[in-house]
Amino acid sequence: MTRLIVRRLLFIIPTLLVVSLLIVVMEEIVPGDVGREILGPYAPAQVAALDHTLGADKPIVQRYIDWLGGFLTLHWGESPISQQPVFSLTMQRLWNSAQLAALALVIIIPTSIVLGVIAALRRDGIADRIITIASLSLTVVPEFVSGAVLILLFAITLRLFPYPPTIPPGAGPLTRIHYMLLPVIPLMFVELGYIARMARADMIDALAMPYVRTATLKGLSRRRVILVHALRNALAPTVTVIGTQVGWLLGGLVVVEKLFIYPGIGYLMYQSATLKDVKVLEATVLVIAAIYMFSNLAADVIVALLNPRVRFGR
Amino acid sequence: MDPGYDPEMPLGRPLQGLDGIEGAASGLPSDRLVRRRFVLRSLRRSPTFLTGAGILLFWIVMAAVSTHLTKFGPDSIDPYHTLAGPSGLHWFGTDENGRDVLSRTLAGARTVLVIAPLATLLCLLMGGTIGLIAGFFKGYADEILMRFVDVLLSLPVIIAAIVIVTVLGHSLPNIILTIAILFTAPVARTIRSAVVSEREKEYVQAARLRGEHAPYIMGAEILPNILGPIIVEGTVRLGYAVFTAATLSFLGFGLTAPSPDWGLTISNDYQYIQGSWWTVLFPAMALASLVVGANLLADGLRKALEE
């Protein structure tokens, strides 16, 4: 168990370094020079001076070491474009996204597991087919397509949700949740199919296991057999899928936050890539990569904990 | 109806059933022919596969000939009829430049249907090579290649794609290359695990004993026997490639105006959604049908090949 965690950490840290290196190299390749990007093309002397104060004229290795030292001590600097401190900007946006993602996960996980289990219990029946085909279709449609259709249907035609869908500043928590429900649905759709499909397959496997037959023959009620005996063992692989789906969720946030103009880390990342604001881009990409890899690790740890063979010794 | 029931099954079954013979037998070309006929039969009876193939075929035909079928060109501007609702003349209405939404929706299939299949072929080629080498040689080659694959998988696809496209620039070849690089990792993993389970089989050992060299065994012996997983992986990736290409153009990291590309159109016309729903709804439906079609095709194929 400890060995698994240590081994994975030994992989995650160099990988983050590689990602950070790639981005610094990118800063070198991205057309345009930092000072020029800010001051425009008509002031070459000031551009050179600004480049010097920003340190943009130092050799790349020196700049990487400076940047890395600053990054590790949380001195992430200031965005040369928006003039905001990168660390607090990234963290504030991350917090906004975390709320959206948390709301999404709270809705997705129980819904998709219940749908998957129903499909497994009604295997090859009509309910199974409807759940399987609908969740497959909703899963593969890009978030901006389902998002646009949902806005059209629920915000513009039925007026159940506000349009424009951007949260007004100073809104109370209930208003915020009301505004956040619609962007959560496209995120939910994309996850739904994977988790439901996994839950269905695991449940079918679990129901075929000898211990389920033993439990049934012991005279336990069907409900107890399903909820206590089969479900717990069926959930382990499902948890892994939820862990890996965090990656899709993070990618989906970029799209959904752009569509709904929601001030989260995805929108920040999108904006910084469009504006070539490399400092902010670096910070957001590294934060997203770290969250992604640690959530995968967490999923593996949870699976290991759910597995009695791992939990007791070995 | 149970799609697993087939009167010809007894012919196909013994090849898979008897453990001792399986390894040696499935390597023979004649057995592969029997198996292929069986797979084709079950594909013809799979509603999932047929629906998917039908949708895909429709869009391929539309991408090729739609400009000859529609009354208006996808780029022909009409300043007197901007944002007009659906009518007898413009079935799907017109957009903010008075362009016919029907023509643009049908022609919009082109860009995605160029990007996605090319990216898929390229990622199968790169991922297939990495997977074959890693799975066949094991040891150091495997370790190094798979760590490289893990690094590629350390970022969510869309995030990584945005970073790469920002560096390379938004041209059509760059978008294809970006998607291909990102999908190389999952393909390499799938192919590697297929190769690992294949390399211990008797026909591979026989080839080694004959003194065949490694590239021959990989290309002529193992490759034909893992075509099934490769095809399934390819169709699955095709669906993802459509998804990723469309998302990149929606985010503005893809093609530029006046291309009728669906992602781009939805992104541009989203501002008119409140008054002119037709400018967004039709390209959205078209894109949804194509991704669902590609995934139905993949699902049908996988079930047929796994039976």
Side-chain angles (χ1 to χ4, degrees):
Chain A
M1 191 68 209
T2 326
R3 245 184 50 203
L4 168 90
I5 299 176
V6 171
R7 225 182 50 213
R8 292 285 293 274
L9 284 178
L10 283 180
F11 171 73
I12 290 178
I13 293 161
T15 310
L16 284 174
L17 278 175
V18 170
V19 172
S20 76
L21 253 178
L22 287 180
I23 302 172
V24 172
V25 171
M26 175 181 117
E27 190 175 11
E28 209 62 13
I29 304 171
V30 165
D33 147 299
V34 185
R36 206 179 131 132
E37 200 79 21
I38 302 167
L39 294 172
Y42 304 112
Q46 286 93 318
V47 166
L50 185 62
D51 274 355
H52 186 73
T53 47
L54 292 172
D57 56 348
K58 286 191 209 158
I60 181 169
V61 177
Q62 181 63 45
R63 262 192 298 153
Y64 181 65
I65 293 170
D66 287 354
W67 172 84
L68 189 64
F71 197 83
L72 292 177
T73 52
L74 300 184
H75 295 93
W76 292 7
E78 202 175 69
S79 154
I81 290 170
S82 68
Q83 252 105 49
Q84 278 174 291
V86 177
F87 181 76
S88 60
L89 180 67
T90 310
M91 289 305 146
Q92 184 217 329
R93 295 300 186 86
L94 180 63
W95 171 238
N96 287 343
S97 287
Q99 297 172 13
L100 201 62
L103 189 60
L105 286 175
V106 163
I107 304 177
I108 297 164
I109 295 175
T111 316
S112 45
I113 289 179
V114 166
L115 285 177
V117 170
I118 291 175
L121 296 178
R122 302 263 181 282
R123 189 181 175 184
D124 293 329
I126 293 171
D128 180 22
R129 284 200 184 171
I130 292 174
I131 291 174
T132 306
I133 290 181
S135 60
L136 173 85
S137 309
L138 291 177
T139 294
V140 297
V141 171
E143 296 92 344
F144 68 92
V145 173
S146 47
V149 173
L150 286 166
I151 288 177
L152 201 53
L153 193 63
F154 291 109
I156 295 174
T157 312
L158 297 177
R159 294 172 196 272
L160 290 175
F161 291 94
Y163 186 88
T166 317
I167 304 177
L174 279 180
T175 322
R176 282 180 64 85
I177 291 181
H178 187 210
Y179 270 93
M180 279 158 67
L181 279 176
L182 203 55
V184 158
I185 301 175
L187 291 175
M188 199 179 121
F189 282 168
V190 169
E191 310 302 308
L192 191 74
Y194 292 103
I195 304 177
R197 181 181 272 209
M198 203 66 205
R200 175 184 180 273
D202 293 340
M203 196 66 192
I204 286 174
D205 285 351
L207 287 175
M209 288 287 173
Y211 61 74
V212 168
R213 201 175 50 213
T214 312
T216 315
L217 292 177
K218 236 163 51 179
L220 298 179
S221 69
R222 185 167 162 78
R223 168 191 294 243
R224 194 173 157 78
V225 172
I226 290 167
L227 289 182
V228 179
H229 293 253
L231 192 59
R232 207 175 79 198
N233 290 288
L235 280 186
T238 311
V239 172
T240 326
V241 172
I242 294 173
T244 55
Q245 287 312 303
V246 170
W248 276 104
L249 194 64
L250 287 164
L253 280 176
V254 179
V255 178
V256 164
E257 290 177 356
K258 193 216 166 199
L259 190 73
F260 288 85
I261 317 181
Y262 182 88
I265 195 165
Y267 191 55
L268 185 65
M269 191 252 163
Y270 157 77
Q271 272 182 317
S272 57
T274 327
L275 298 171
K276 308 257 159 71
D277 188 345
V278 178
K279 263 193 180 159
V280 178
L281 186 61
E282 254 166 358
T284 49
V285 170
L286 280 176
V287 167
I288 290 174
I291 295 175
Y292 182 42
M293 285 190 277
F294 279 107
S295 60
N296 281 340
L297 173 61
D300 287 355
V301 169
I302 294 173
V303 168
L305 289 176
L306 284 176
N307 184 340
R309 262 179 309 225
V310 180
R311 217 172 2 161
F312 301 112
R314 276 197 280 181
Chain B
M1 189 184 73
D2 179 15
Y5 175 76
D6 189 307
E8 269 191 25
M9 274 290 270
L11 266 180
R13 261 289 148 80
L15 301 180
Q16 302 180 307
L18 302 170
D19 270 355
I21 304 171
E22 182 197 7
S26 67
L28 294 174
S30 60
D31 295 335
R32 287 206 295 268
L33 269 178
V34 174
R35 171 110 185 97
R36 187 177 306 160
R37 208 179 305 150
F38 172 68
V39 168
L40 284 178
R41 276 180 66 95
S42 63
L43 280 182
R44 273 205 303 274
R45 294 175 182 184
S46 153
T48 320
F49 174 80
L50 292 178
T51 315
I55 295 175
L56 224 56
L57 193 68
F58 170 78
W59 284 116
I60 292 171
V61 171
M62 280 306 139
V65 302
S66 79
T67 42
H68 301 290
L69 300 178
T70 45
K71 279 176 281 186
F72 305 91
D75 297 321
S76 68
I77 291 172
D78 178 359
Y80 298 106
H81 296 96
T82 58
L83 295 176
S87 63
L89 186 62
H90 295 284
W91 291 357
F92 286 7
T94 63
D95 69 1
E96 73 279 14
N97 291 314
R99 293 173 297 195
D100 184 46
V101 174
L102 175 63
S103 320
R104 288 181 72 72
T105 303
L106 294 179
R110 271 184 202 177
T111 46
V112 163
L113 283 178
V114 168
I115 297 172
L118 284 178
T120 307
L121 281 180
L122 206 56
C123 79
L124 283 181
L125 201 67
M126 298 192 292
T129 312
I130 294 180
L132 264 175
I133 293 175
F136 187 76
F137 290 111
K138 295 281 205 74
Y140 281 118
D142 185 26
E143 197 62 30
I144 293 168
L145 287 173
M146 284 301 116
R147 284 303 82 77
F148 168 70
V149 163
D150 286 342
V151 171
L152 276 182
L153 289 172
S154 68
L155 274 175
V157 171
I158 291 295
I159 309 279
I162 292 175
V163 172
I164 300 178
V165 174
T166 309
V167 176
L168 297 178
H170 321 173
S171 69
L172 199 67
N174 285 346
I175 296 166
I176 295 172
L177 191 66
T178 304
I179 297 175
I181 291 173
L182 292 173
F183 289 169
T184 295
V187 173
R189 273 199 178 168
T190 312
I191 307 296
R192 178 188 171 274
S193 61
V195 173
V196 167
S197 66
E198 207 72 15
R199 71 195 282 269
E200 304 304 334
K201 289 194 178 164
E202 283 170 19
Y203 74 94
V204 176
Q205 285 167 356
R208 281 183 203 227
L209 289 175
R210 286 202 306 270
E212 305 286 5
H213 42 72
Y216 176 84
I217 302 180
M218 282 191 275
E221 299 281 348
I222 296 180
L223 195 62
N225 284 301
I226 56 167
L227 270 184
I230 294 180
I231 293 170
V232 170
E233 188 65 23
T235 49
V236 170
R237 291 301 139 200
L238 183 70
Y240 282 127
V242 173
F243 186 108
T244 311
T247 301
L248 277 178
S249 22
F250 169 75
L251 290 173
F253 296 97
L255 303 144
T256 43
S259 164
D261 181 81
W262 295 326
L264 185 69
T265 308
I266 294 171
S267 162
N268 284 342
D269 292 353
Y270 175 60
Q271 51 184 314
Y272 307 111
I273 194 171
Q274 195 167 17
S276 315
W277 51 268
W278 53 90
T279 54
V280 174
L281 187 67
F282 293 118
M285 286 304 168
L287 179 51
S289 75
L290 180 63
V291 270
V292 170
N295 280 281
L296 289 178
L297 181 91
D299 222 40
L301 257 175
R302 194 184 52 225
K303 282 199 185 123
L305 284 165
E306 271 173 6
E307 260 168 26

